[in-house]
Amino acid sequence: AQKVTQAQTEISVVEKEDVTLDCVYETRDTTYYLFWYKQPPSGELVFLIRRNSFDEQNEISGRYSWNFQKSTSSFNFTITASQVVDSAVYFCALRSVNTGKLIFGQGTTLQVKP
Amino acid sequence: DGGITQSPKYLFRKEGQNVTLSCEQNLNHDAMYWYRQDPGQGLRLIYYSQIVNDFQKGDIAEGYSVSREKKESFPLTVTSAQKNPTAFYLCASSIVLAKSTDTQYFGPGTRLTVL
């Protein structure tokens, strides 16, 4: 079975704090892809990053960074120096090579207070 | 501007009525998808299509129907058989379904409320 778990339902931080969103996945596939999406209050899902299972290099994009650890089946997302505009629901997703389906976690609601 | 458009943004329907949600893309993507999102939950796949005139059921297809007569368009009909249709509906598209490197891009969504 394939599954994505985002254990943090809601997180609230004050602006400029760093925050990490956790994502743990389950799959028996050796090849798979992991994604993070942002859903602002407007509702549209915005693609943030894609990672394949063979690439465990961490990635940094501005204030965003991602830590992929295959040994713990985790793909965590860190926002450094958070801003109010970061307030949104963040989804982690897993795409299997075999089924082609995108499996979403439940999402983490991040509230950044000024 | 390339992108995915969904209309309308808000839709109200009386019980027992069918309603069709529009999804159009000008990204020249082959694959298109419909998802349903309920409050506090992740997205669940309703239907997807890899090519014109072909589509497959997702995880929660009961009470829904789709068509793919044009590459750019993938309308979703919520029928009266759908027992709990009030939800947020998101359409997505990607280059090629078969290759798992493709990334799905989403439209702005349609919020359907059954009165």
Side-chain angles (χ1 to χ4, degrees):
Chain A
Q2 302 190 352
K3 188 179 177 182
V4 176
T5 301
Q6 295 180 254
Q8 304 151 307
T9 305
E10 293 183 18
I11 301 176
S12 182
V13 300
V14 177
E15 208 169 17
K16 297 185 183 177
E17 284 185 19
D18 298 346
V19 58
T20 295
L21 282 60
D22 298 332
C23 173
V24 174
Y25 62 92
E26 296 175 26
T27 181
R28 292 181 181 175
D29 294 341
T30 54
T31 302
Y32 52 88
Y33 295 84
L34 295 165
F35 300 80
W36 274 96
Y37 286 88
K38 173 182 180 180
Q39 186 177 40
S42 61
E44 179 175 351
L45 260 72
V46 178
F47 165 70
L48 295 178
I49 189 170
R50 180 186 68 229
R51 248 311 171 247
N52 73 55
S53 51
F54 296 109
D55 184 1
E56 289 194 66
Q57 276 192 335
N58 291 331
E59 178 145 345
I60 298 175
S61 176
R63 297 184 296 107
Y64 295 171
S65 62
W66 290 269
N67 182 0
F68 176 31
Q69 291 196 340
K70 216 168 175 177
S71 60
T72 56
S73 296
S74 65
F75 186 43
N76 297 337
F77 173 32
T78 297
I79 301 174
T80 304
S82 61
Q83 299 176 1
V84 173
V85 293
D86 295 327
S87 297
V89 182
Y90 290 86
F91 289 98
C92 180
L94 165 72
R95 183 176 174 87
S96 163
V97 168
N98 292 331
T99 67
K101 289 184 178 179
L102 197 57
I103 309 297
F104 284 87
Q106 301 286 72
T108 296
T109 300
L110 173 65
Q111 184 182 30
V112 181
K113 298 178 180 177
Chain B
D1 277 52
I4 303 171
T5 57
Q6 291 185 244
S7 61
K9 190 170 178 62
Y10 299 96
L11 190 56
F12 298 90
R13 185 195 98 175
K14 292 182 180 179
E15 274 194 50
Q17 288 181 339
N18 292 356
V19 63
T20 298
L21 282 59
S22 168
C23 178
E24 304 275 334
Q25 55 97 0
N26 60 4
L27 300 168
N28 199 30
H29 285 174
D30 297 302
M32 297 186 75
Y33 314 79
W34 274 104
Y35 291 89
R36 171 183 171 136
Q37 184 181 18
D38 293 285
Q41 296 190 32
L43 279 68
R44 292 182 292 168
L45 183 64
I46 304 173
Y47 267 98
Y48 63 99
S49 168
Q50 300 182 55
I51 56 173
V52 174
N53 293 323
D54 184 59
F55 46 83
Q56 287 80 40
K57 292 182 179 180
D59 300 318
I60 55 166
E62 186 175 348
Y64 300 98
S65 66
V66 293
S67 63
R68 187 90 188 272
E69 296 176 3
K70 299 186 300 182
K71 186 175 184 177
E72 304 79 20
S73 178
F74 191 40
L76 172 74
T77 297
V78 184
T79 74
S80 56
Q82 169 48 235
K83 295 180 179 179
N84 185 20
T86 295
F88 188 54
Y89 291 87
L90 285 153
C91 178
S93 69
S94 65
I95 296 174
V96 178
L97 178 64
K99 295 182 181 179
S100 287
T101 53
D102 69 285
T103 295
Q104 292 183 24
Y105 295 92
F106 286 80
T110 292
R111 194 167 297 281
L112 173 63
T113 302
V114 175
L115 305 172

